[in-house]
Short mmCIF file of all heavy atoms in Angstrom, two decimals:
data_model
loop_
_atom_site.label_atom_id
_atom_site.label_comp_id
_atom_site.label_asym_id
_atom_site.label_seq_id
_atom_site.Cartn_x
_atom_site.Cartn_y
_atom_site.Cartn_z
N LEU A 1 -1.56 65.01 -7.70
CA LEU A 1 -1.73 65.55 -6.35
C LEU A 1 -1.59 67.08 -6.34
O LEU A 1 -2.44 67.77 -5.77
CB LEU A 1 -0.72 64.92 -5.39
CG LEU A 1 -0.79 65.39 -3.95
CD1 LEU A 1 -2.16 65.12 -3.35
CD2 LEU A 1 0.30 64.73 -3.12
N ALA A 2 -0.55 67.58 -6.97
CA ALA A 2 -0.35 69.04 -6.99
C ALA A 2 -1.50 69.73 -7.73
O ALA A 2 -1.98 70.78 -7.28
CB ALA A 2 0.99 69.38 -7.64
N ALA A 3 -1.94 69.14 -8.83
CA ALA A 3 -3.07 69.72 -9.57
C ALA A 3 -4.33 69.69 -8.73
O ALA A 3 -5.12 70.65 -8.73
CB ALA A 3 -3.28 68.98 -10.89
N SER A 4 -4.55 68.59 -8.01
CA SER A 4 -5.76 68.49 -7.19
C SER A 4 -5.77 69.56 -6.10
O SER A 4 -6.81 70.15 -5.82
CB SER A 4 -5.90 67.09 -6.58
OG SER A 4 -4.92 66.84 -5.60
N ARG A 5 -4.62 69.82 -5.53
CA ARG A 5 -4.53 70.86 -4.50
C ARG A 5 -4.80 72.24 -5.10
O ARG A 5 -5.51 73.05 -4.50
CB ARG A 5 -3.16 70.83 -3.84
CG ARG A 5 -2.98 69.64 -2.94
CD ARG A 5 -1.60 69.59 -2.33
NE ARG A 5 -1.49 68.47 -1.40
CZ ARG A 5 -0.36 67.93 -1.04
NH1 ARG A 5 0.79 68.40 -1.49
NH2 ARG A 5 -0.35 66.91 -0.19
N HIS A 6 -4.25 72.48 -6.26
CA HIS A 6 -4.44 73.77 -6.94
C HIS A 6 -5.91 74.00 -7.31
O HIS A 6 -6.43 75.10 -7.17
CB HIS A 6 -3.57 73.84 -8.19
CG HIS A 6 -3.79 75.04 -9.02
ND1 HIS A 6 -3.30 76.29 -8.69
CD2 HIS A 6 -4.48 75.21 -10.18
CE1 HIS A 6 -3.69 77.15 -9.60
NE2 HIS A 6 -4.40 76.53 -10.51
N LEU A 7 -6.57 72.93 -7.77
CA LEU A 7 -7.95 73.05 -8.24
C LEU A 7 -8.99 72.88 -7.14
O LEU A 7 -10.17 73.16 -7.36
CB LEU A 7 -8.21 72.01 -9.34
CG LEU A 7 -7.41 72.17 -10.62
CD1 LEU A 7 -7.55 70.93 -11.50
CD2 LEU A 7 -7.84 73.42 -11.36
N GLY A 8 -8.56 72.38 -5.98
CA GLY A 8 -9.52 72.12 -4.90
C GLY A 8 -10.36 70.89 -5.16
O GLY A 8 -11.52 70.83 -4.75
N LEU A 9 -9.78 69.92 -5.87
CA LEU A 9 -10.46 68.66 -6.18
C LEU A 9 -9.70 67.52 -5.51
O LEU A 9 -8.57 67.70 -5.10
CB LEU A 9 -10.48 68.43 -7.69
CG LEU A 9 -11.17 69.48 -8.55
CD1 LEU A 9 -10.90 69.22 -10.03
CD2 LEU A 9 -12.65 69.52 -8.27
N THR A 10 -10.32 66.37 -5.46
CA THR A 10 -9.60 65.21 -4.94
C THR A 10 -8.69 64.66 -6.03
O THR A 10 -8.94 64.85 -7.23
CB THR A 10 -10.56 64.09 -4.48
OG1 THR A 10 -11.26 63.58 -5.62
CG2 THR A 10 -11.55 64.61 -3.44
N GLN A 11 -7.64 63.96 -5.62
CA GLN A 11 -6.73 63.37 -6.58
C GLN A 11 -7.43 62.36 -7.49
O GLN A 11 -7.19 62.37 -8.70
CB GLN A 11 -5.55 62.72 -5.84
CG GLN A 11 -4.47 62.22 -6.76
CD GLN A 11 -3.26 61.72 -6.00
OE1 GLN A 11 -3.09 61.97 -4.81
NE2 GLN A 11 -2.39 61.01 -6.70
N PRO A 12 -8.32 61.49 -6.95
CA PRO A 12 -9.04 60.58 -7.85
C PRO A 12 -9.90 61.31 -8.90
O PRO A 12 -10.00 60.86 -10.03
CB PRO A 12 -9.90 59.75 -6.92
CG PRO A 12 -9.19 59.79 -5.61
CD PRO A 12 -8.59 61.16 -5.55
N THR A 13 -10.47 62.44 -8.53
CA THR A 13 -11.26 63.22 -9.48
C THR A 13 -10.38 63.75 -10.60
O THR A 13 -10.74 63.69 -11.78
CB THR A 13 -12.01 64.37 -8.78
OG1 THR A 13 -12.92 63.81 -7.84
CG2 THR A 13 -12.76 65.24 -9.76
N VAL A 14 -9.23 64.26 -10.25
CA VAL A 14 -8.29 64.76 -11.26
C VAL A 14 -7.88 63.63 -12.19
O VAL A 14 -7.87 63.79 -13.42
CB VAL A 14 -7.07 65.43 -10.59
CG1 VAL A 14 -5.98 65.74 -11.61
CG2 VAL A 14 -7.50 66.70 -9.86
N GLY A 15 -7.57 62.47 -11.63
CA GLY A 15 -7.21 61.32 -12.46
C GLY A 15 -8.34 60.90 -13.38
O GLY A 15 -8.10 60.58 -14.56
N ARG A 16 -9.56 60.94 -12.89
CA ARG A 16 -10.74 60.61 -13.71
C ARG A 16 -10.90 61.61 -14.85
O ARG A 16 -11.22 61.24 -15.98
CB ARG A 16 -11.99 60.57 -12.84
CG ARG A 16 -12.65 59.24 -12.78
CD ARG A 16 -13.95 59.19 -12.02
NE ARG A 16 -14.23 60.23 -11.05
CZ ARG A 16 -13.89 60.20 -9.76
NH1 ARG A 16 -13.22 59.18 -9.27
NH2 ARG A 16 -14.22 61.18 -8.96
N HIS A 17 -10.70 62.89 -14.56
CA HIS A 17 -10.81 63.92 -15.60
C HIS A 17 -9.82 63.63 -16.72
O HIS A 17 -10.18 63.72 -17.90
CB HIS A 17 -10.54 65.30 -15.02
CG HIS A 17 -11.68 65.88 -14.25
ND1 HIS A 17 -11.67 67.19 -13.83
CD2 HIS A 17 -12.84 65.35 -13.81
CE1 HIS A 17 -12.79 67.44 -13.16
NE2 HIS A 17 -13.51 66.33 -13.13
N ILE A 18 -8.59 63.30 -16.36
CA ILE A 18 -7.57 63.02 -17.37
C ILE A 18 -7.94 61.77 -18.16
O ILE A 18 -7.87 61.75 -19.40
CB ILE A 18 -6.18 62.89 -16.73
CG1 ILE A 18 -5.75 64.22 -16.08
CG2 ILE A 18 -5.14 62.43 -17.77
CD1 ILE A 18 -5.71 65.42 -16.99
N ASP A 19 -8.36 60.74 -17.47
CA ASP A 19 -8.76 59.50 -18.15
C ASP A 19 -9.91 59.74 -19.13
O ASP A 19 -9.89 59.25 -20.26
CB ASP A 19 -9.18 58.43 -17.13
CG ASP A 19 -8.02 57.89 -16.32
OD1 ASP A 19 -6.85 58.07 -16.71
OD2 ASP A 19 -8.30 57.27 -15.26
N LEU A 20 -10.91 60.50 -18.71
CA LEU A 20 -12.06 60.78 -19.57
C LEU A 20 -11.67 61.64 -20.77
O LEU A 20 -12.15 61.42 -21.88
CB LEU A 20 -13.18 61.46 -18.77
CG LEU A 20 -13.90 60.56 -17.76
CD1 LEU A 20 -14.78 61.40 -16.83
CD2 LEU A 20 -14.73 59.52 -18.48
N LEU A 21 -10.79 62.61 -20.55
CA LEU A 21 -10.34 63.45 -21.64
C LEU A 21 -9.54 62.63 -22.65
O LEU A 21 -9.74 62.75 -23.86
CB LEU A 21 -9.51 64.62 -21.11
CG LEU A 21 -9.07 65.67 -22.12
CD1 LEU A 21 -10.25 66.28 -22.85
CD2 LEU A 21 -8.25 66.75 -21.43
N GLU A 22 -8.66 61.79 -22.15
CA GLU A 22 -7.88 60.93 -23.05
C GLU A 22 -8.80 59.98 -23.83
O GLU A 22 -8.60 59.78 -25.04
CB GLU A 22 -6.85 60.12 -22.25
CG GLU A 22 -5.70 60.96 -21.74
CD GLU A 22 -4.71 60.19 -20.90
OE1 GLU A 22 -5.08 59.15 -20.29
OE2 GLU A 22 -3.55 60.62 -20.83
N GLU A 23 -9.80 59.45 -23.15
CA GLU A 23 -10.75 58.56 -23.83
C GLU A 23 -11.50 59.32 -24.93
O GLU A 23 -11.65 58.82 -26.05
CB GLU A 23 -11.74 57.99 -22.81
CG GLU A 23 -12.76 57.05 -23.39
CD GLU A 23 -13.73 56.57 -22.34
OE1 GLU A 23 -13.29 56.24 -21.22
OE2 GLU A 23 -14.94 56.53 -22.63
N ARG A 24 -11.93 60.51 -24.62
CA ARG A 24 -12.68 61.31 -25.59
C ARG A 24 -11.83 61.69 -26.79
O ARG A 24 -12.27 61.65 -27.93
CB ARG A 24 -13.23 62.57 -24.89
CG ARG A 24 -13.91 63.56 -25.81
CD ARG A 24 -15.17 62.98 -26.43
NE ARG A 24 -15.80 63.95 -27.27
CZ ARG A 24 -15.83 63.89 -28.60
NH1 ARG A 24 -15.29 62.89 -29.23
NH2 ARG A 24 -16.43 64.83 -29.30
N LEU A 25 -10.56 62.07 -26.53
CA LEU A 25 -9.67 62.48 -27.61
C LEU A 25 -9.14 61.29 -28.40
O LEU A 25 -8.76 61.44 -29.56
CB LEU A 25 -8.50 63.29 -27.04
CG LEU A 25 -8.86 64.64 -26.44
CD1 LEU A 25 -7.64 65.24 -25.75
CD2 LEU A 25 -9.40 65.58 -27.51
N GLY A 26 -9.06 60.14 -27.75
CA GLY A 26 -8.57 58.95 -28.43
C GLY A 26 -7.07 58.79 -28.42
O GLY A 26 -6.52 58.03 -29.22
N PHE A 27 -6.39 59.52 -27.54
CA PHE A 27 -4.94 59.35 -27.40
C PHE A 27 -4.50 59.74 -25.99
O PHE A 27 -5.24 60.38 -25.24
CB PHE A 27 -4.15 60.14 -28.46
CG PHE A 27 -4.50 61.61 -28.56
CD1 PHE A 27 -3.95 62.53 -27.69
CD2 PHE A 27 -5.36 62.06 -29.55
CE1 PHE A 27 -4.26 63.88 -27.80
CE2 PHE A 27 -5.67 63.40 -29.68
CZ PHE A 27 -5.11 64.31 -28.80
N THR A 28 -3.28 59.34 -25.66
CA THR A 28 -2.73 59.57 -24.33
C THR A 28 -2.11 60.96 -24.26
O THR A 28 -1.36 61.37 -25.15
CB THR A 28 -1.65 58.50 -24.03
OG1 THR A 28 -2.26 57.21 -24.15
CG2 THR A 28 -1.09 58.65 -22.64
N LEU A 29 -2.41 61.67 -23.19
CA LEU A 29 -1.88 63.01 -22.97
C LEU A 29 -0.63 63.00 -22.10
O LEU A 29 0.23 63.88 -22.23
CB LEU A 29 -2.94 63.90 -22.31
CG LEU A 29 -4.19 64.14 -23.14
CD1 LEU A 29 -5.28 64.76 -22.28
CD2 LEU A 29 -3.86 65.04 -24.33
N PHE A 30 -0.54 62.03 -21.20
CA PHE A 30 0.56 61.95 -20.24
C PHE A 30 1.10 60.54 -20.17
O PHE A 30 0.37 59.58 -20.37
CB PHE A 30 0.08 62.31 -18.83
CG PHE A 30 -0.39 63.72 -18.66
CD1 PHE A 30 -1.73 64.03 -18.73
CD2 PHE A 30 0.50 64.75 -18.40
CE1 PHE A 30 -2.18 65.33 -18.56
CE2 PHE A 30 0.07 66.05 -18.24
CZ PHE A 30 -1.28 66.34 -18.31
N THR A 31 2.38 60.45 -19.83
CA THR A 31 2.93 59.19 -19.37
C THR A 31 3.03 59.32 -17.86
O THR A 31 3.38 60.39 -17.34
CB THR A 31 4.31 58.88 -19.98
OG1 THR A 31 5.20 59.94 -19.68
CG2 THR A 31 4.21 58.67 -21.47
N ARG A 32 2.65 58.27 -17.18
CA ARG A 32 2.64 58.31 -15.72
C ARG A 32 3.84 57.54 -15.20
O ARG A 32 4.14 56.45 -15.65
CB ARG A 32 1.35 57.67 -15.21
CG ARG A 32 0.11 58.47 -15.55
CD ARG A 32 -1.12 57.57 -15.71
NE ARG A 32 -2.37 58.31 -15.80
CZ ARG A 32 -2.87 58.77 -16.92
NH1 ARG A 32 -2.25 58.59 -18.06
NH2 ARG A 32 -4.01 59.42 -16.92
N GLY A 33 4.52 58.13 -14.23
CA GLY A 33 5.68 57.48 -13.66
C GLY A 33 5.92 57.95 -12.24
O GLY A 33 5.20 58.80 -11.72
N ARG A 34 6.95 57.38 -11.65
CA ARG A 34 7.27 57.77 -10.27
C ARG A 34 7.57 59.26 -10.14
O ARG A 34 7.31 59.85 -9.10
CB ARG A 34 8.50 56.99 -9.80
CG ARG A 34 8.19 55.66 -9.27
CD ARG A 34 9.33 55.25 -8.38
NE ARG A 34 9.68 53.87 -8.57
CZ ARG A 34 10.87 53.39 -8.41
NH1 ARG A 34 11.88 54.17 -8.12
NH2 ARG A 34 11.10 52.12 -8.56
N GLU A 35 8.17 59.81 -11.19
CA GLU A 35 8.54 61.23 -11.15
C GLU A 35 7.37 62.16 -11.42
O GLU A 35 7.51 63.37 -11.40
CB GLU A 35 9.68 61.50 -12.13
CG GLU A 35 9.33 61.30 -13.59
CD GLU A 35 9.30 59.86 -14.07
OE1 GLU A 35 9.81 58.96 -13.39
OE2 GLU A 35 8.71 59.63 -15.14
N GLY A 36 6.20 61.60 -11.70
CA GLY A 36 5.01 62.42 -11.93
C GLY A 36 4.43 62.18 -13.31
O GLY A 36 4.61 61.13 -13.90
N MET A 37 3.77 63.18 -13.78
CA MET A 37 3.07 63.11 -15.07
C MET A 37 3.89 63.89 -16.10
O MET A 37 4.17 65.07 -15.89
CB MET A 37 1.68 63.71 -14.94
CG MET A 37 0.80 63.09 -13.87
SD MET A 37 0.17 61.50 -14.33
CE MET A 37 -1.19 61.98 -15.37
N ARG A 38 4.22 63.22 -17.20
CA ARG A 38 4.96 63.86 -18.28
C ARG A 38 4.07 63.91 -19.52
O ARG A 38 3.46 62.91 -19.87
CB ARG A 38 6.23 63.09 -18.61
CG ARG A 38 7.27 63.22 -17.57
CD ARG A 38 8.55 62.64 -18.09
NE ARG A 38 9.59 62.87 -17.11
CZ ARG A 38 10.81 62.48 -17.26
NH1 ARG A 38 11.17 61.84 -18.35
NH2 ARG A 38 11.70 62.73 -16.34
N LEU A 39 4.05 65.05 -20.15
CA LEU A 39 3.27 65.21 -21.37
C LEU A 39 3.82 64.33 -22.48
O LEU A 39 5.04 64.25 -22.66
CB LEU A 39 3.28 66.66 -21.83
CG LEU A 39 2.43 67.64 -21.02
CD1 LEU A 39 2.82 69.06 -21.37
CD2 LEU A 39 0.96 67.40 -21.26
N THR A 40 2.93 63.72 -23.22
CA THR A 40 3.32 63.05 -24.46
C THR A 40 3.48 64.12 -25.53
O THR A 40 3.17 65.30 -25.29
CB THR A 40 2.23 62.04 -24.90
OG1 THR A 40 1.02 62.77 -25.16
CG2 THR A 40 1.99 60.96 -23.85
N ASP A 41 3.93 63.74 -26.71
CA ASP A 41 4.04 64.72 -27.80
C ASP A 41 2.68 65.34 -28.11
O ASP A 41 2.57 66.56 -28.30
CB ASP A 41 4.61 64.06 -29.05
CG ASP A 41 6.09 63.71 -28.90
OD1 ASP A 41 6.76 64.27 -28.01
OD2 ASP A 41 6.57 62.88 -29.69
N LYS A 42 1.65 64.52 -28.15
CA LYS A 42 0.30 65.04 -28.44
C LYS A 42 -0.19 65.94 -27.30
O LYS A 42 -0.85 66.95 -27.54
CB LYS A 42 -0.68 63.91 -28.71
CG LYS A 42 -0.42 63.25 -30.04
CD LYS A 42 -1.49 62.25 -30.39
CE LYS A 42 -1.19 61.67 -31.76
NZ LYS A 42 -2.25 60.82 -32.26
N GLY A 43 0.12 65.57 -26.06
CA GLY A 43 -0.23 66.41 -24.93
C GLY A 43 0.47 67.76 -25.00
O GLY A 43 -0.13 68.80 -24.75
N SER A 44 1.75 67.73 -25.38
CA SER A 44 2.51 68.98 -25.53
C SER A 44 1.91 69.86 -26.60
O SER A 44 1.91 71.09 -26.48
CB SER A 44 3.97 68.66 -25.89
OG SER A 44 4.62 68.06 -24.81
N ASP A 45 1.40 69.24 -27.65
CA ASP A 45 0.76 70.01 -28.73
C ASP A 45 -0.48 70.75 -28.24
O ASP A 45 -0.82 71.81 -28.77
CB ASP A 45 0.35 69.09 -29.89
CG ASP A 45 1.54 68.54 -30.66
OD1 ASP A 45 2.67 69.07 -30.53
OD2 ASP A 45 1.33 67.55 -31.40
N LEU A 46 -1.16 70.20 -27.25
CA LEU A 46 -2.43 70.79 -26.79
C LEU A 46 -2.30 71.73 -25.59
O LEU A 46 -3.21 72.50 -25.32
CB LEU A 46 -3.41 69.67 -26.42
CG LEU A 46 -3.92 68.84 -27.58
CD1 LEU A 46 -4.84 67.74 -27.07
CD2 LEU A 46 -4.66 69.71 -28.58
N VAL A 47 -1.20 71.67 -24.86
CA VAL A 47 -1.11 72.43 -23.61
C VAL A 47 -1.17 73.94 -23.86
O VAL A 47 -1.80 74.67 -23.09
CB VAL A 47 0.11 72.00 -22.77
CG1 VAL A 47 1.41 72.52 -23.32
CG2 VAL A 47 -0.08 72.39 -21.32
#
C-alpha cells in the first residue's frame, strides 16, 4: 500500500509487479505478513 501510494500505482499492480519479478528471478524477494513485507535474504542482497 505504501509503495503504491509513493509510485502512483494501485496496490494490486504493485503486488503483480512483485509476483512477476519473483517469478522471473525464480526466488522469493519478500515474506508477506500482517506487519507488512519483509525482505528475504535474497531480496536483501538485491535491494
Side-chain angles (χ1 to χ4, degrees):
L1 180 60
S4 69
R5 288 178 176 158
H6 174 77
L7 295 169
L9 301 171
T10 66
Q11 187 174 346
T13 297
V14 170
R16 243 185 339 271
H17 283 189
I18 297 303
D19 290 344
L20 289 168
L21 185 57
E22 289 177 334
E23 181 182 318
R24 174 65 178 109
L25 294 172
F27 53 82
T28 303
L29 297 167
F30 295 97
T31 57
R32 293 150 170 87
R34 275 202 221 150
E35 65 282 345
M37 304 285 279
R38 288 190 176 180
L39 286 165
T40 62
D41 289 342
K42 288 188 178 187
S44 292
D45 290 344
L46 292 178
V47 75

